[in-house]
Amino acid sequence: MQTRDQTSLGNGNLFAALRAGFPQDLDEIAVETNQGLLYSWRDIDRASAMLANLLASLDLPTHSRIAVQVEKSVEAMALYLATLRAGLVFLPLNTAYQSAEMSYFIADAEPAVVVCTPGNFGWVSQLAFSAGTPYVFTLGDDRTGSLLDRAAACSDQQQAVPRDPGDLAAILYTSGTTGRSKGAMLSHGNLLSNARVLHSYWGWRRGDVLIHALPIFHVHGLFVALHGALLNGSRMIWCARFDPALVVQKLPQASIFMGVPTLYVRLLEQEALTPEAARHMRLFVSGSAPLLIETFNEWQRRTGHTILERYGMSETVMLTSNPCDPSLGPRRGGTVGLPLPGVNLRVVNDQGQALPSGEIGAIEVKGPNVFKGYWRMPQKTAEEFSADGYFRTGDVGRVDEEGYLTIVGRSKDLIISGGYNVYPAEIEGYINELEGVAESAVVGVADADFGEVGIAVVVAKARAQVEPRTVLASLKATLANFKVPKRCVVVDALPRNSMGKVQKNVLRERFGAAQFVSRYQEHSG
Ligand code: MCA
Ligand code: AMP
């Protein structure tokens, strides 16, 4: 059985620290699901130990990757914890990815194990085995699947494999600006240092209850929300999918909620969202995409609570946060707050020189939260760091007199739709391969629900006929659904500047720029 002071034995394994946060009484409830299932802390400990022993029984090389594309479930969470316990590398993949995307990730990451939903076993196992993956298991969101069948025979006792803080814990794919996703390598130390900073900065306390309604294949749901609750020994109200009515109904039983702006926009559409419903709550956190000031203000009016907005990246976990403790300052709508303790952040000009407050420039960051680099891309990694070791976020912003950061845009070509990143270069690559297409450009336009959505602007080859709905149907058959542009228009030509670069800002103007459009995006065209 784990001892509470496991970390003090010099084991830098993130799981050891999370386990030390479990309550003394392991029979307390750790998770209650929206189907009414209750899991105790002992259940979580035993399940993750059995799964860790199953992984250990496969005799995998150190740092083997465990790729997981399954629906959200407590068992999926236990598999994440098991991967940490076994000292292996967790690779979560969005359930919306289709075979072309999965083929890329599996070829790039070369996982030793792939865990997929039972319904996808046919095509996932085929592409995994043909790529050389030795093991493919299934895991359903209803406690079924070969993974659990195999783990049932394993011991529920397991000592977390010793790991140093610098050892790899997870790979998260992100930033496909060049059309190719890059695997951000996060260490046990990156994740634990950030989890500890947020635990203290957001004032996690005994009795806190988290409503967890985010997917667990991205940083926000898997690390920021989950680590907070585990480290604090806090009960989670576990929503397999985001259902605004359910979240409002659960508010009186909880104290913390974390979401992307779209979740707040949808919660505001619920009549039942009143100050009374939110009275028991202590903290609402927003991030992953810009929270419009209208949403920030409306939330305050409707619930009496001031949303705490924070800023993060897959490469850096959380960088800045508005204060939780009012003695540190107010929560300023439209800003992403102050650099977190231990995080060094600067805004620089094109020559890499730090700019005075108020001036707009590129946001760079340094700290224990910043990743080791991109998986098997040393050259690309080197390009993303300055000579003095600051990571280039690709975001553009300014810092005010009190040190609050406002993100005004991105120099990277990126659309963030409902909290998911959509990389125009990736979509354009697929469109340009379609019959009759000469070239295309995908730009983000305003959307009341998702914040920004993509629109595809296509130029047909001479004497060719391109049907917008055919373009969208082809993309839908190939790409994750959230990536598919919501609209497609065919034009005679794409606007270009004197250098011949497509002027995406002109297209955004023409088709309805998102409220969140920076002058810098104009620069980058
Ligand atoms: C669903 N659809 C979307 C999106 N989600 N379209 C554009 N953008 C989206 N994000 C479309 C689907 O393609 C489908 O269209 C239709 O909406 C319904 O799909 P469904 O899956 O039922 O949608 P939903 O359940 O309403 O999901 C909306 C959602 C979800 C709850 C907002 O997108 C979500 O959970 N977003 C959170 C993402 C997240 O966790 N981000 C954190 C990243 P059709 O039927 O036509 O196919 S971590 C991060 O960014 C950094 C590190 C950080 O700071 O946290
Ligand atoms: P990801 O690829 O998931 O790491 O997304 C990280 C990107 O999300 C950042 O580089 C920002 O562009 C964006 N982002 C995260 N949090 C915020 C926020 N609070 N406001 C605006 N953009 C954000």
Side-chain angles (χ1 to χ4, degrees), residues 140-151:
D141 59 0
D142 52 0
R143 292 166 305 293
T144 60
S146 61
L147 185 82
L148 299 181
D149 297 342
R150 285 284 298 275

Side-chain angles (χ1 to χ4, degrees), residues 212-455:
H212 193 306
L214 288 163
I216 54 173
F217 45 67
H218 275 306
V219 165
H220 201 158
L222 182 63
F223 301 144
V224 182
L226 185 60
H227 290 168
L230 295 176
L231 207 54
N232 197 59
S234 273
R235 185 151 56 87
M236 282 183 277
I237 295 173
W238 186 264
C239 306
R241 297 176 60 80
F242 173 66
D243 170 354
L246 175 68
V247 168
V248 174
Q249 185 201 328
K250 295 291 184 184
L251 291 177
Q253 301 163 36
S255 61
I256 300 180
F257 174 77
M258 297 184 192
V260 299
T262 299
L263 304 197
Y264 287 100
V265 167
R266 294 190 181 183
L267 287 167
L268 283 167
E269 291 161 3
Q270 297 293 312
E271 295 278 309
L273 181 72
T274 63
E276 179 51 29
R279 199 168 46 76
H280 185 265
M281 290 293 289
R282 172 173 81 77
L283 181 61
F284 290 97
V285 177
S286 176
S288 311
L291 180 72
L292 298 186
I293 193 69
E294 291 81 358
T295 310
F296 178 85
N297 291 335
E298 177 68 359
W299 191 264
Q300 218 162 23
R301 198 179 66 74
R302 284 280 301 280
T303 67
H305 285 272
T306 304
I307 291 175
L308 179 155
E309 186 170 6
R310 80 332 169 255
Y311 164 39
M313 290 185 76
S314 299
E315 293 93 332
T316 64
V317 218
M318 296 305 107
L319 304 175
T320 74
S321 171
N322 270 279
C324 184
D325 172 358
S327 70
L328 296 179
R331 291 173 200 169
R332 290 223 169 98
T335 83
V336 289
L338 305 158
L340 283 163
V343 174
N344 297 301
L345 182 135
R346 67 188 187 191
V347 172
V348 298
N349 61 17
D350 294 349
Q351 288 70 44
Q353 295 147 340
L355 290 169
S357 63
E359 290 202 19
I360 292 176
I363 301 167
E364 296 186 348
V365 66
K366 195 175 191 178
N369 55 307
V370 178
F371 75 148
K372 298 160 69 93
Y374 294 113
W375 171 256
R376 295 181 178 169
M377 291 187 182
Q379 181 53 38
K380 185 66 190 155
T381 299
E383 289 163 13
E384 302 294 325
F385 283 87
S386 66
D388 56 349
Y390 276 77
F391 173 66
R392 299 190 171 101
T393 64
D395 294 309
V396 172
R398 64 170 180 272
V399 175
D400 71 14
E401 299 292 334
E402 283 79 31
Y404 282 71
L405 176 68
T406 298
I407 301 175
V408 299
R410 304 169 201 124
S411 53
K412 53 196 171 186
D413 192 8
L414 167 68
I415 297 164
I416 303 184
S417 176
Y420 287 145
N421 289 4
V422 177
Y423 305 105
E426 179 186 12
I427 318 294
E428 290 156 4
Y430 280 102
I431 297 176
N432 295 343
E433 295 300 306
L434 296 177
E435 180 76 25
V437 172
E439 60 175 343
S440 64
V442 173
V443 294
V445 294
D447 182 84
D449 185 22
F450 294 119
E452 277 183 283
V453 291
I455 174 171

